[in-house]
Amino acid sequence: MLNLANCLTLFRILTIPIFLEFLAYHFYWEALLVFAIGGLTDFLDGFVARRMNQQTALGAYLDPVADKLLVITSFVMLGAMGGIPVWLMVVVVLRDVLIVLGYGIIYVLVEERMQVRPSLIGKWSTTFQLLTLAVALLMLHDPGLVSDRVLDSFVAVTALATVVSGLQYLYRGLIWLQNRASSITPPS
């Protein structure tokens, strides 16, 4: 069902190519503004969904997809441009790819969809990822605006939160799989 919350999520997805276009042409301030608008819609769609009782199955799938699209494309682009360390880009992207592959494998093995709920550390990880991207964009816009130490601090905290949340999702997936081990049929 298409409602205001889902429209905000779709709008966030539509901001991604605009954001990437601004980055590609080194319009960092404009890219930061579009990125901020995308982040604002992330807050608003959740708020509207809860406040106006507009939570839907479509929104439950679309919102995390929009978040991951924004985060992954931003990290890949900024990593390729030298705005953030490439190793951080690899950590963030690899974590998300491993989570998606892991849950896909679990689905194939058990033929049951695992309910994926974001954990507190997962939410903090996403928050620090977004803040790190914003700080990197500010530095690209005006290198004197933010010190290298500030970006380095955000990079360190983001890397730690990303790794810890990835390990937590892995642990949760393995526990869930272990509890259903009897329903797994070995390949013939």
Side-chain angles (χ1 to χ4, degrees):
M1 177 174 160
L2 205 55
N3 55 32
L4 178 58
N6 291 341
C7 285
L8 287 166
T9 303
L10 287 171
F11 180 78
R12 181 163 72 255
I13 292 170
L14 294 174
T15 65
I16 295 169
I18 298 165
F19 168 74
L20 294 174
E21 187 77 11
F22 282 139
L23 270 183
Y25 288 100
H26 307 285
F27 295 123
Y28 301 121
W29 183 249
E30 292 82 355
L32 179 60
L33 290 176
V34 172
F35 184 78
I37 290 168
L40 179 62
T41 63
D42 186 24
F43 166 76
L44 287 176
D45 68 5
F47 178 78
V48 166
R50 287 184 298 278
R51 181 70 88 192
M52 299 175 73
N53 198 25
Q54 293 187 354
Q55 295 166 317
T56 64
L58 174 63
Y61 288 105
L62 205 54
D63 184 60
V65 167
D67 291 344
K68 293 304 158 201
L69 282 173
L70 179 62
V71 169
I72 288 174
T73 57
S74 300
F75 269 93
V76 168
M77 189 71 158
L78 283 171
M81 297 172 64
I84 58 165
V86 172
W87 65 264
L88 180 62
M89 173 196 71
V90 171
V91 166
V92 170
V93 172
L94 189 61
R95 171 198 168 256
D96 287 342
V97 167
L98 289 175
I99 288 171
V100 169
L101 284 176
Y103 286 116
I105 290 168
I106 286 173
Y107 180 74
V108 168
L109 287 175
V110 182
E111 295 179 356
E112 181 181 342
R113 182 173 288 136
M114 180 179 170
Q115 190 75 3
V116 181
R117 297 196 196 287
S119 65
L120 183 59
I121 187 65
K123 290 179 181 183
W124 277 107
S125 172
T126 301
T127 299
F128 280 113
Q129 289 170 2
L130 294 172
L131 288 172
T132 300
L133 291 167
V135 169
L137 286 167
L138 278 172
M139 285 188 71
L140 286 171
H141 171 67
D142 182 356
L145 206 57
V146 180
S147 75
D148 288 340
R149 280 190 164 169
V150 171
L151 180 61
D152 291 345
S153 297
F154 274 100
V155 165
V157 172
T158 298
L160 179 64
T162 300
V163 169
V164 169
S165 69
L167 291 172
Q168 183 186 40
Y169 284 118
L170 174 66
Y171 175 77
R172 288 164 71 185
L174 290 173
I175 293 297
W176 187 87
L177 190 58
Q178 182 180 3
N179 290 336
R180 282 154 182 79
S182 62
S183 67
I184 299 174
T185 55
S188 40

